[in-house]
Amino acid sequence: MFWEDLLGHVAKRQQSLAEADSLVNVVIAEAELVSNVAAVDPLLDQVRAITAKLGPNEPPSPAQEETLLGVYLDIETYLATRDPIRHFSKTDIRKHLRPALCRRIEQYEAKEGVHA
């Protein structure tokens, strides 16, 4: 029963990731895949700081978007390398994202010199 519940939880979170329509929502959905959210909570403080400054339906500024992309990549790396219970490859995570967001992440990685 435990494994079925766990797999069901992960499947729901992956669906949330696929349905996310903004970078903020993608980062939040991705963080929900982490088995111990406290491990990435300091990263989420950056997201909270951004969302506290945004008005309803206001998109993040270019600088805020850069911060969100960095947080996304940090959580993605955590899931791929350090999560003690779950392991996802970057491909596993990104296959649930919208293609335009994947391209944006790849552009950010290239600009920042991040190795995928």
Side-chain angles (χ1 to χ4, degrees):
M1 186 73 167
F2 169 78
W3 291 111
E4 291 171 355
D5 290 343
L6 178 62
L7 293 174
H9 172 79
V10 170
K12 285 180 191 173
R13 296 300 158 243
Q14 288 175 328
Q15 183 175 353
S16 294
L17 200 57
E19 293 172 354
D21 58 353
S22 73
L23 186 52
V24 169
N25 290 340
V26 165
V27 172
I28 291 167
E30 181 190 39
E32 290 177 344
L33 292 171
V34 173
S35 62
N36 177 10
V37 178
V40 296
D41 198 53
L43 295 169
L44 295 176
D45 284 341
Q46 296 175 66
V47 178
R48 292 180 194 105
I50 290 170
T51 59
K53 294 175 185 173
L54 295 177
N57 300 316
E58 180 183 353
S61 70
Q64 291 169 328
E65 184 175 298
E66 296 273 317
T67 298
L68 291 168
L69 287 165
V71 170
Y72 170 87
L73 289 173
D74 288 344
I75 295 172
E76 183 183 72
T77 298
Y78 178 86
L79 285 165
T81 62
R82 295 190 313 267
D83 193 285
I85 296 175
R86 301 181 187 129
H87 178 77
F88 298 94
S89 70
K90 291 184 178 198
T91 303
D92 290 338
I93 298 167
R94 291 185 188 186
K95 73 181 178 187
H96 296 283
L97 300 178
R98 295 173 189 243
L101 180 57
C102 285
R103 286 190 298 276
R104 181 66 185 104
I105 291 167
E106 290 165 2
Q107 290 169 349
Y108 178 81
E109 286 176 318
K111 178 181 152 217
E112 297 297 316
V114 176
H115 300 291

